[in-house]
Amino acid sequence: MEALLVEGQLPANLHGRFLQSVPHPAHGTDPVSITGVRLADGTATWHRARTDLSLLGTVPTLAPAVRDGLRVARPAQDPRTGEWHTIATRPGSPLAEHVTMSAAGAVRRGRCFVLSGPARIDTVALSADHVVVLDLSVEHDRATELIGLRAPYTWRPGKQARIGLLPRRSRGNPLWFPVSPCFVPEAVNAYEDGPEVVLDAVRHTSPTGPRELTRWTLDPSTGTASEERLLSADSAVVADPERGRRHHTVYAARDTSVSRHDPHTSTTYDFGPGHRLGQPATAGEWLIVPFHDSTSSNLAVFDTADLASGPRSVVRLPVTVPVATRTTWQPLLEPVRA
């Protein structure tokens, strides 16, 4: 493994792999190549994941968006059982399938349900009792596919966008909640709040509009969804221990800045002009942010308690990597020894 240049000092307790899914130059625009950096014992080395043709690949949370003609939403993992949940669709069809897999990615069960049309579903969220399904304003377009000049999806402003709650422990169909027109590329978290379900997600409200972190509160007793814009964000994450439950802190990337938000405070660090940021990933008390400057691709490691002071260390990558919108942190069970 190739040792990488580190500016500053990597935390001694940071042991794991930062992985990102990026477009492969030979396979179009869908993220099918996984690269990353192994951080251990204060050093950084280049990491490449092996090829795997299973539904979710070698890293389930970075599952390929397209596999064998199916579009696979970025899966969510149940922190209690380790099972993965995703929604698979076939372009052009209104049928969808909720697929449940083991922690290793083996398919355990599936059940079909019907969407309002051939919706594009990029992500799902998981609460204690429900899978959150996003049947929104972007749909597959057969005419665009035949022309072949761009991705075969189009914005349908007249379509009723809706969010569904699919029961995890029964065979019922989703309970649907109408929402305003939008598209969600990234679900951040979902949790039960008494009889209601709360979803935080990054959305677009128009084809070319900016992204924003939005909270929907879904009330099954009335079939209605309330909506609250939280902040502007290209990408946002919560810490792994808070997934599926009420979270207190959100980390967001927007333009050239990364920020930390909780109910009482907001802290921001700006990388400055000429920088582009990818999706952050939490690693215990640390936040890892991929970024581009004018000359290279890099990883910045922040102390989550002191974001405003800037990165504690920066890892310089050996090649230029596209800014990643799908990233994850995989802890190592044991420190790596030379």
Side-chain angles (χ1 to χ4, degrees):
M1 292 182 290
E2 181 181 355
L4 304 180
L5 173 65
V6 177
E7 298 175 0
Q9 185 174 7
L10 287 169
N13 63 345
L14 193 58
H15 292 273
R17 301 181 187 94
F18 174 85
L19 301 175
Q20 52 191 349
S21 183
V22 297
H24 192 289
H27 297 286
T29 58
D30 283 306
V32 294
S33 180
I34 294 176
T35 63
V37 175
R38 180 194 295 260
L39 303 174
D41 296 329
T43 64
T45 53
W46 189 238
H47 173 82
R48 290 184 183 274
R50 69 184 187 276
T51 300
D52 185 337
L53 298 180
S54 63
L55 183 64
L56 295 188
T58 56
V59 186
T61 191
L62 302 181
V66 177
R67 174 74 82 188
D68 297 330
L70 294 175
R71 186 161 195 93
V72 181
R74 184 175 185 176
Q77 188 175 35
D78 186 330
R80 296 171 298 177
T81 66
E83 288 185 326
W84 293 95
H85 295 256
T86 188
I87 301 297
T89 55
R90 191 171 296 278
S93 171
L95 294 179
E97 184 174 10
H98 166 220
V99 183
T100 305
M101 288 148 291
S102 69
V107 175
R108 287 184 168 171
R109 56 191 174 272
R111 59 171 161 163
C112 293
F113 58 94
V114 180
L115 303 169
S116 61
R120 173 171 172 161
I121 302 178
D122 279 12
T123 184
V124 299
L126 203 64
S127 68
D129 298 323
H130 298 90
V131 179
V132 182
V133 183
L134 300 162
D135 183 4
L136 302 173
S137 302
V138 175
E139 290 190 339
H140 182 267
D141 187 294
R142 177 62 175 164
T144 302
E145 182 180 44
L146 291 173
I147 295 172
L149 296 179
R150 59 180 177 86
Y153 295 91
T154 191
W155 187 276
R156 305 285 192 196
K159 175 191 173 183
Q160 175 60 69
R162 57 184 190 166
I163 298 174
L165 294 181
L166 184 66
R168 291 178 53 187
R169 296 172 181 84
S170 69
R171 303 294 296 181
N173 289 317
L175 176 63
W176 295 105
F177 299 81
V179 297
S180 58
C182 67
F183 178 70
V184 170
E186 184 180 306
V188 177
N189 194 34
Y191 60 88
E192 317 283 340
D193 185 13
E196 299 176 330
V197 176
V198 177
L199 170 67
D200 283 4
V202 175
R203 72 168 182 178
H204 296 278
T205 57
S206 67
T208 58
R211 293 186 178 193
E212 55 189 29
L213 181 62
T214 300
R215 173 167 294 171
W216 288 276
T217 301
L218 312 174
D219 186 349
S221 67
T222 63
T224 60
S226 63
E227 180 180 301
E228 177 186 2
R229 180 188 177 280
L230 300 179
L231 55 101
S232 294
D234 297 325
S235 183
V237 294
V238 299
D240 283 346
E242 293 192 309
R243 295 185 187 277
R245 62 183 66 183
R246 184 190 297 270
H247 56 273
H248 299 284
T249 304
V250 173
Y251 302 94
R254 173 66 174 169
D255 294 330
T256 63
S257 64
V258 61
S259 54
R260 178 185 188 274
H261 305 269
D262 61 39
H264 307 292
T265 61
S266 179
T267 305
T268 299
Y269 175 80
D270 196 327
F271 284 81
H275 290 76
R276 292 182 295 149
L277 310 187
Q279 183 186 49
T282 60
E285 64 192 278
W286 309 104
L287 184 71
I288 303 175
V289 182
F291 72 95
H292 283 192
D293 57 23
S294 59
T295 60
S296 62
S297 299
N298 317 277
L299 296 182
V301 179
F302 291 84
D303 183 341
T304 57
D306 189 19
L307 203 67
S309 294
R312 173 167 173 167
S313 52
V314 173
V315 179
R316 301 295 182 181
L317 303 189
V319 296
T320 300
V321 179
V323 173
T325 58
R326 283 184 167 191
T327 68
T328 192
W329 172 254
Q330 285 188 336
L332 296 175
L333 296 181
E334 298 291 339
V336 173
R337 301 301 179 190

